[in-house]
Amino acid sequence: MLGQTIADGILTGAIVALGAIGVSFGLQILRFANFAHSELLTWGAYLALVFVSFFGPGTPTGPFTFGWQLVAAMLLAGGLTGLLAWLVDLLVFRPLRARGAPRLSLVFAAFGAALILRHVIVLIWGHGTHAYTRELQIAVEVLPDVRMLPDQLFILGVTVVTVAALHLYLTYSRTGMAMRAMAENPALTRACGVEVEGLVRWTWILSGALAAMAGVFLGLTPQLHPEMGASLLLALFAAAILGGVGSLPGAVVGGLLVGLSENVSTLFVSTGYKTAMPFVLLLLVLFFRPQGLFGRKS
Amino acid sequence: MIGLFSYLVFFACVVLILGIVALGLNLQWGYTGLFNAGVVGFYAIGAYTHAILTAAPKPELIGNLGLPWIVGILGAMAASGLAAWVVGLATIRLRDDYLAIATFGIATVIQLVTLNWEALTGGGNGFSGIPRPLSGWLTTPFSFNLGYLALLAGIVVLVTLALDAMLAAPWGRALRAVREDEQAAVSLGKDATSFRLQAFVLGSMLMGLAGALYVGFIGFVSPFDFLPILTFQVWAMVIVGGSGNNRGALLGTLVVWGLWAASGIAVTKLVPPAYAAQGGAVQVILIGLLLVLSLLFRPGGLLGENSINSKPARD
């Protein structure tokens, strides 16, 4: 029972971590709490749905419920969601930045953008649920008494590879280093001749693409609905802050802790309160270690 | 004709109730610069506390103490204030947008409690039989609404005058000093954290008061009266009206709620019933657009900040 709960928690945690990376970038590089980030998850999932409805999810490959088409759909949706994130920046956040608006004005604007993004989805696809595929699959026993669906193992595998690649990128590439520099000290980065607007654009595209990936995974386990991203918003913030804002390993560990706490809590309290766990973790960390587990004191 | 008039009375009651919420948010945001993203949570705490304290006892529910109306009102304000104090203690010193995240969280948790703690809140069904003040004297629905409107108008005038007086006093100047330049305020001996916490708690108490007045008006409470969209609506009211101006907050409430109600009516008249959900989406998109566009093009709002107290003293 506990083993299964932990496995479920790790799966939720992987998806939360992918989304939390973008939130963490937002808090540290763009310097505001982007309440619209969760809508990028939803958009990513629905954009992939558009491709899937053209090409189909593909004939099930191996133990999975989908073929290469869904993977292609995910990549395309990732690119488009990245562009969408940038477009929102261009229309909403950049004019505010240019005017030197206070950070909280950006948070507000993010609220408005979130409302618009989410309800445009309702406008197009309605309130109901959708699924990429109706194929059924059988859970496999990965450890004694721990069963997971092949699709879930796929999600975990892809997440591990993505996070590893991102880590290498942030550590060794020029842009990655510039992003980390920007997170540490924006003024100094600017003074060193880094073209900040280009970096901001790239941060949005990267955040959007990762969010889309998380959204597709959410849609795969098991379905899509307009509130799917919004219902994770608190978990994303909790993961980003818990791990220590701006730290990639922090966002991943934060995501896992949030996922685990949500699932393990169901052993003790009614499942109705599952989504309150990220808030409890968040309050605890803000009380005792506001810089997060991996963060340094400023 | 009487139908339209009684609709207007009902509309005005809702505007006044939400106006109190907007005044509370304006104290937090407009005057102190605190971002409360969980407005609906504090409103809901007030509503449920009032309901639990005043409703007639029911065997299946805890609470429902049947206490007098005024006890319910005071209890609602105390409960919302207490919740704000707890959240504020944890977050008010931190980076400003963390307060937004934490208050957003508390609203989510409150919604979960209202849905899941059935023995206290009646769960998704909510509960009815919340006594309505004045209903002993005003027995027809129309005369009750009219009487309640007068009561609400009295309370709004009282709250506005009290806020104006407090904000014109040194206390209000200290709030704005903390908002504008915390370091300067601290160097002048003001305890910034304490002033923030006071404004946050007081603003949340007003939201609780409004929640109590709302259930007292409707006579019924259920989680579906406290959806997150309300937070955005109240934010739009304060931003559109002009944050930092109490009359602006009230005007913004009238404008935004008027737009919401009018677009709702337009949607039901124009959109075929099969597409009702999509029509509702249009209403929410309008609120989102209103927020974003007013931030981009009219950040000061319709009335703008009331700067009387910031003028140099006349001698």
Side-chain angles (χ1 to χ4, degrees):
Chain A
M1 190 63 189
L2 185 65
Q4 185 64 51
T5 315
I6 290 174
D8 293 340
I10 290 175
L11 181 77
T12 319
I15 297 175
V16 169
L18 280 177
I21 295 168
V23 169
S24 188
F25 283 168
L27 281 168
Q28 193 63 19
I29 299 178
L30 308 163
R31 308 241 156 211
F32 76 104
N34 182 9
F35 275 81
H37 188 76
S38 55
E39 308 311 324
L40 296 176
L41 273 72
T42 318
W43 267 95
Y46 276 86
L47 287 172
L49 184 69
V50 174
F51 293 115
V52 167
S53 48
F54 272 113
F55 304 112
T59 38
T61 308
F64 307 121
T65 58
F66 52 86
W68 62 268
Q69 288 88 338
L70 185 76
V71 179
M74 181 166 83
L75 295 175
L76 288 168
L80 284 178
T81 310
L83 290 180
L84 176 69
W86 177 48
L87 184 72
V88 174
D89 184 57
L90 212 59
L91 291 176
V92 180
F93 300 125
R94 202 163 79 153
L96 289 172
R97 269 202 308 277
R99 205 171 60 212
R103 163 159 70 197
L104 287 179
S105 294
L106 289 161
V107 183
F108 268 130
F111 262 111
L115 283 187
I116 298 170
L117 287 172
R118 190 182 329 151
H119 288 87
V120 168
I121 294 221
V122 177
L123 202 60
I124 303 174
W125 285 279
H127 272 296
T129 57
H130 294 271
Y132 294 126
T133 148
R134 302 274 170 212
E135 296 283 338
L136 291 174
Q137 57 180 346
I138 298 159
V140 288
E141 193 160 27
V142 284
L143 286 171
D145 280 332
V146 179
R147 292 177 169 278
M148 293 189 91
L149 298 172
D151 284 2
Q152 296 176 327
L153 293 171
F154 170 82
I155 291 172
L156 281 180
V158 174
T159 304
V160 169
V161 172
T162 308
V163 168
L166 192 66
H167 177 68
L168 293 176
Y169 178 77
L170 287 178
T171 318
Y172 296 110
S173 78
R174 268 192 88 75
T175 324
M177 283 189 241
M179 284 172 73
R180 285 188 297 134
M182 184 76 181
E184 287 288 322
N185 190 335
L188 190 62
T189 313
R190 219 176 282 262
C192 290
V194 172
E195 199 241 317
V196 170
E197 275 306 318
L199 200 62
V200 166
R201 178 173 62 225
W202 180 237
T203 306
W204 281 113
I205 293 177
L206 207 58
S207 305
L210 290 168
M213 219 166 134
V216 172
F217 291 165
L218 268 180
L220 205 53
T221 55
Q223 58 188 11
L224 297 86
H225 57 96
E227 304 277 331
M228 60 194 279
S231 60
L232 271 192
L233 184 60
L234 202 53
L236 301 182
F237 276 127
I241 294 172
L242 191 63
V245 161
S247 153
L248 176 71
V252 174
V253 173
L256 288 177
L257 284 176
V258 166
L260 284 173
S261 69
E262 277 194 7
N263 283 282
V264 173
S265 75
T266 57
L267 299 177
F268 309 102
V269 288
S270 139
T271 49
Y273 292 107
K274 191 173 155 178
T275 43
M277 288 314 291
F279 176 70
V280 175
L281 275 181
L282 186 72
L283 272 195
L284 286 176
V285 82
L286 291 181
F287 254 124
F288 295 109
R289 200 178 155 78
Q291 73 272 33
L293 299 178
F294 287 68
R296 274 154 299 171
K297 258 204 161 82
S298 52
Chain B
M1 202 56 214
I2 188 85
L4 179 69
F5 187 64
S6 76
Y7 176 78
L8 285 178
V9 170
F10 179 85
F11 174 83
C13 284
V14 176
V15 166
L16 288 177
I17 290 169
L18 293 177
I20 297 173
V21 185
L23 286 172
L25 183 63
N26 192 35
L27 176 63
Q28 295 175 342
W29 167 250
Y31 288 96
T32 324
L34 298 169
F35 198 128
N36 180 352
V39 172
V40 71
F42 298 99
Y43 182 65
I45 292 181
Y48 271 96
T49 308
H50 183 72
I52 290 162
L53 290 177
T54 61
K58 288 186 201 60
E60 71 275 18
L61 293 175
I62 326 172
N64 292 334
L65 306 170
L67 295 169
W69 180 77
I70 188 70
V71 178
I73 294 282
L74 296 175
M77 292 176 75
S80 299
L82 190 68
W85 186 67
V86 171
V87 176
L89 273 187
T91 53
I92 222 144
R93 278 165 235 269
L94 297 168
R95 211 176 115 164
D96 43 20
D97 44 0
Y98 285 9
L99 180 68
I101 299 167
T103 45
F104 180 79
I106 195 167
T108 309
V109 172
I110 289 160
Q111 210 186 14
L112 289 176
V113 172
T114 59
L115 272 171
N116 290 301
W117 194 356
E118 291 188 8
L120 185 72
T121 66
N125 296 325
F127 62 90
S128 55
I130 298 152
R132 313 198 309 167
L134 317 173
S135 59
W137 302 293
L138 304 167
T139 43
T140 69
F142 180 68
S143 66
F144 170 78
N145 283 1
L146 212 56
Y148 206 79
L149 181 64
L151 175 71
L152 287 171
I155 293 175
V156 168
V157 169
L158 209 66
V159 168
T160 312
L161 291 179
L163 281 174
D164 282 352
M166 287 161 74
L167 289 163
W171 185 75
R173 283 203 298 276
L175 289 187
R176 262 164 296 176
V178 167
R179 182 191 69 184
E180 291 304 326
D181 189 341
E182 180 175 347
Q183 283 175 350
V186 170
S187 69
L188 290 171
K190 303 291 175 202
D191 182 350
T193 308
S194 157
F195 275 105
R196 282 215 183 91
L197 198 55
Q198 288 167 27
F200 187 61
V201 169
L202 202 63
S204 300
M205 287 170 76
L206 286 178
M207 294 170 191
L209 166 67
L213 291 170
Y214 178 75
V215 294
F217 179 45
I218 303 292
F220 175 73
V221 67
S222 103
F224 305 104
D225 285 329
F226 308 102
L227 298 177
I229 178 70
L230 192 81
T231 297
F232 300 106
Q233 288 164 332
V234 177
W235 269 112
M237 289 163 189
V238 172
I239 300 279
V240 168
S243 54
N245 183 325
N246 286 331
R247 273 144 203 85
L250 293 173
L251 176 69
T253 311
L254 181 66
V255 170
V256 172
W257 195 251
L259 194 70
W260 176 262
S263 63
I265 292 168
V267 163
T268 37
K269 291 261 190 280
L270 300 174
V271 178
Y275 295 97
Q278 272 90 339
V282 172
Q283 264 185 299
V284 184
I285 291 172
L286 278 178
I287 294 285
L289 276 175
L290 200 62
L291 256 178
V292 172
L293 294 178
S294 41
L295 281 168
L296 284 175
F297 299 110
R298 208 181 160 84
L302 289 173
L303 291 189
E305 174 157 358
N306 196 346
S307 62
I308 290 169
N309 299 303
S310 307
K311 279 183 190 157
R314 273 160 289 180
D315 47 12

